[in-house]
Amino acid sequence: MLKLLGLVLVLGGVVGGFVLSNGMLRSLWQPAEMGMIISAAAGAFMLGTPKSVQLQVLAGLRSMVSNRGSFGRLFYLDLLKLMFDLLDLSRRQGRNALEEHIETPEGSSIFARYPEVMACPRVLHFMTDSFRVTTLSNIAFSELENSMEQELQVCREDLRRAGQALQRTADACPGFGIVVAVLGIIITMQSISGPVEMIGLHVAAALVGTFFGVLLCYGVLGPLAAVLDDLGKSEVLACECVKASLVAGLRGYPPAMAVDAGRRVLLDEDRPSFIELEESLRVGF
């Protein structure tokens, strides 16, 4: 909701200020120029971005609009509770008891209690793959920690690509605006022998192209790229929470202390308090 409000403020502030300055609103409506910039930006995005990254961008924008897959205090609390359930089961019944849950999390009674985590495939796969390694061998916690950190590094680079791709497209929009403005000046020169008022309209249309390209860059696509980057960082942070909890569990920490180690890697704005986590775990029983 706040993101939608921010977009309304950007567009409303710019257009409203133009109208209050005695600007003619209809002079900003130049569908041909806007269409050229949007199509050029979309074409450049498709041309310079791999298909997998394009899908990441679309998925990120969809999750932003629908607010699904968001990472907040409740999501991280569910993630910590899930880690506690798995670590507690491993401590009470042995690591082999985890197999039926991590092999098919879709049919697991434990995972079914946490649909928000299930809705995040990357975090889910990172968690199940890491637990799977512990059931297959008596791997030392230091070796598992190194392996998980290598996977996290790849994850960081992969999730950064969506924001970078959209930011490159945003950076190109002012240039496309200049291209459209130049084309507008060419049209103006073609009409130089016509009525004076038509020349003014053509020049205004050319300038709108530059205006729209800059606005699209700094007012729309640039902020959206930042949102995608933040979503990627939150997803990595969730994986780091899983890593810290699992490594602490392998070191022999009780499940409650192990998930507290995962809680401590979270940002303060989304980190459940120790009391909040303790009470949540107690309610689970």
Side-chain angles (χ1 to χ4, degrees), residues 86-185:
L86 295 174
L87 291 171
D88 186 61
L89 178 64
S90 176
R91 181 181 62 86
R92 289 186 291 104
Q93 300 183 21
R95 296 179 184 176
N96 290 336
L98 295 172
E99 289 188 8
E100 63 176 296
H101 298 284
I102 61 177
E103 292 296 335
T104 55
E106 299 81 6
S108 167
S109 58
I110 295 179
F111 282 90
R113 296 198 290 267
Y114 307 102
E116 291 297 324
V117 180
M118 291 286 290
C120 188
R122 190 184 298 271
V123 176
L124 181 65
H125 293 158
F126 181 80
M127 179 190 300
T128 54
D129 288 349
S130 300
F131 270 105
R132 188 175 291 112
V133 171
T134 66
T135 63
L136 294 177
S137 63
N138 292 322
I139 186 172
F141 67 83
S142 58
E143 296 177 359
L144 178 63
E145 186 175 16
N146 291 335
S147 175
M148 294 175 76
E149 182 55 40
Q150 290 176 353
E151 185 174 353
L152 276 173
Q153 185 59 36
V154 175
C155 183
R156 291 187 190 98
E157 295 297 325
D158 188 32
L159 289 172
R160 193 179 294 132
R161 298 169 72 194
Q164 289 175 339
L166 194 58
Q167 185 60 55
R168 287 195 301 268
T169 304
D171 293 339
C173 285
F176 291 135
I178 293 173
V179 170
V180 170
V182 171
L183 293 177
I185 296 301

Side-chain angles (χ1 to χ4, degrees), residues 3 63-64 66-76 116-117 119-120 231 234-235 270:
K3 294 179 178 62
S63 66
M64 183 193 70
S66 63
N67 206 31
R68 289 180 58 86
S70 60
F71 298 86
R73 183 181 294 265
L74 294 180
F75 172 86
Y76 290 120
E116 291 297 324
V117 180
C120 188
L231 285 175
S234 297
E235 200 163 344
D270 296 321

Side-chain angles (χ1 to χ4, degrees), residues 188 195-205:
T188 302
V196 175
E197 59 272 14
M198 292 303 298
I199 297 176
L201 290 176
H202 290 314
V203 171

